[in-house]
């Protein structure tokens, strides 16, 4: 079946180090991918997105990489800070107009 | 500008009871969504509405109904609540039309006993 999944359910990094969160997807028809951050007790918050006609997009301290050959998406966070501790989700539109499906999430813990 | 608001914040139901979760957005967004999130899990799409007057099933629509009352409001109804529907429910909205950045409400924590 179609799914979006994550390689690592938990990730611990030292403050100041770079973090890399991975995501695998299986639907070749998906043409839009989004990363969300969810802090405890809150709704998800948009971080960055990328369309399938791109392989890299940068934001403030974050970079998303898309490898369509192996259906892999990653989120890189530079100089990770304690405020980055949260659960991170990748999501895709699954090639369907306006339908957004989430992956299971990775918990990022930043060690001061 | 309140963004996306949801009511109630918390609710406890007995098995078989019904209730409606309310969601409203003030960003003039076309698309609205209902997700559920079980403990330690990701978000699963229940229903979505790409525009006023349309609704479509998501991944887990069974046991739920929705109404897109107008452009601002999108409600989720549980006709006969079951313990398996114990979850946190999130409403979200987006501009739509190929723009998928979603804005989420604070969630409704529902317990069915």
């Amino acid at each position: 079946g179609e799914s979006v999944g994550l390689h690592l359910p938990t990730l611990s990094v030292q403050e100041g180090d770079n973090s890399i969160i991975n995501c695998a997807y299986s639907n070749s028809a998906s043409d839009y991918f989004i990363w969300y951050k969810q802090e405890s007790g809150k709704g998800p918050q948009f971080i960055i997105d990328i369309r399938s006609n791109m392989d890299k997009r940068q934001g403030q301290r974050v970079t998303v990489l898309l490898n369509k050959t192996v259906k892999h998406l990653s989120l890189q966070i530079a100089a990770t800070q304690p405020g980055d501790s949260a659960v991170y989700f990748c999501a895709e539109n699954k090639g369907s107009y306006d339908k957004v499906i989430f992956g299971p999430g990775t918990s990022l813990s930043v060690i001061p | 500008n309140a963004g996306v608001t949801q009511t109630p914040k918390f609710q406890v139901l007995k098995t078989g009871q019904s209730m409606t979760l309310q969601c409203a957005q003030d960003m003039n967004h076309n698309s609205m969504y209902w997700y559920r999130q079980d403990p330690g899990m990701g978000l699963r799409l229940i229903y979505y509405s790409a525009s006023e007057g349309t609704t479509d099933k998501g991944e887990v629509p069974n046991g739920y109904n929705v109404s897109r009352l107008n452009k601002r409001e999108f409600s989720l109804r549980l006709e006969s609540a079951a313990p398996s529907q114990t979850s946190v429910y999130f409403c979200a909205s987006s501009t739509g039309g190929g723009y998928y950045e979603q804005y989420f409400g604070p969630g409704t924590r529902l317990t069915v006993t």
Side-chain angles (χ1 to χ4, degrees):
Chain A
E2 301 170 337
S3 66
V4 176
L6 290 167
H7 295 306
L8 298 173
T10 60
L11 178 65
S12 294
V13 298
Q14 205 72 36
E15 181 178 357
D17 287 351
N18 296 335
S19 302
I20 299 176
I21 301 170
N22 296 303
C23 179
Y25 67 94
S26 59
N27 189 341
S28 301
S30 294
D31 56 9
Y32 191 94
F33 303 88
I34 315 109
W35 281 100
Y36 285 92
K37 172 186 180 183
Q38 187 178 27
E39 297 174 326
S40 182
K42 297 183 179 179
Q45 182 180 14
F46 173 90
I47 302 172
I48 192 168
D49 58 5
I50 189 167
R51 293 193 181 273
S52 59
N53 61 354
M54 304 170 69
D55 53 20
K56 181 179 180 179
R57 190 165 187 220
Q58 289 184 291
Q60 188 176 13
R61 282 200 308 119
V62 294
T63 300
V64 56
L65 299 177
L66 175 62
N67 186 330
K68 293 181 285 293
T69 302
V70 295
K71 297 189 183 68
H72 184 266
L73 190 69
S74 69
L75 177 70
Q76 300 178 0
I77 304 173
T80 312
Q81 302 168 0
D84 295 327
S85 293
V87 177
Y88 290 80
F89 295 97
C90 64
E92 62 179 316
N93 73 333
K94 283 200 161 182
S96 175
Y97 205 68
D98 284 317
K99 182 177 181 179
V100 180
I101 303 296
F102 278 66
T106 290
S107 178
L108 175 65
S109 178
V110 181
I111 305 162
Chain B
N1 190 338
V4 179
T5 57
Q6 293 183 236
T7 56
K9 285 187 168 48
F10 301 94
Q11 183 71 49
V12 178
L13 291 178
K14 288 184 169 29
T15 297
Q17 288 185 320
S18 62
M19 78 161 295
T20 300
L21 281 65
Q22 307 287 354
C23 174
Q25 52 89 12
D26 61 3
M27 296 173 281
N28 201 36
H29 283 169
N30 292 307
S31 299
M32 297 187 74
Y33 306 79
W34 276 106
Y35 292 89
R36 60 175 287 176
Q37 185 174 32
D38 298 329
M41 302 283 287
L43 283 77
R44 289 184 290 171
L45 181 64
I46 305 172
Y47 272 94
Y48 67 104
S49 170
S51 62
E52 185 179 352
T54 68
T55 60
D56 286 286
K57 295 179 180 179
E59 301 172 278
V60 289
N62 291 343
Y64 305 94
N65 286 302
V66 291
S67 296
R68 183 75 184 267
L69 304 170
N70 46 57
K71 192 170 186 179
R72 289 187 65 248
E73 298 172 287
F74 189 38
S75 63
L76 178 72
R77 182 159 179 85
L78 287 70
E79 290 292 351
S80 179
S84 61
Q85 294 178 304
T86 293
S87 191
V88 179
Y89 290 84
F90 288 102
C91 177
S93 69
S94 69
T95 302
Y99 294 90
Y100 299 95
E101 179 179 348
Q102 293 172 307
Y103 294 79
F104 282 81
T108 294
R109 188 173 296 274
L110 175 67
T111 302
V112 183
T113 61

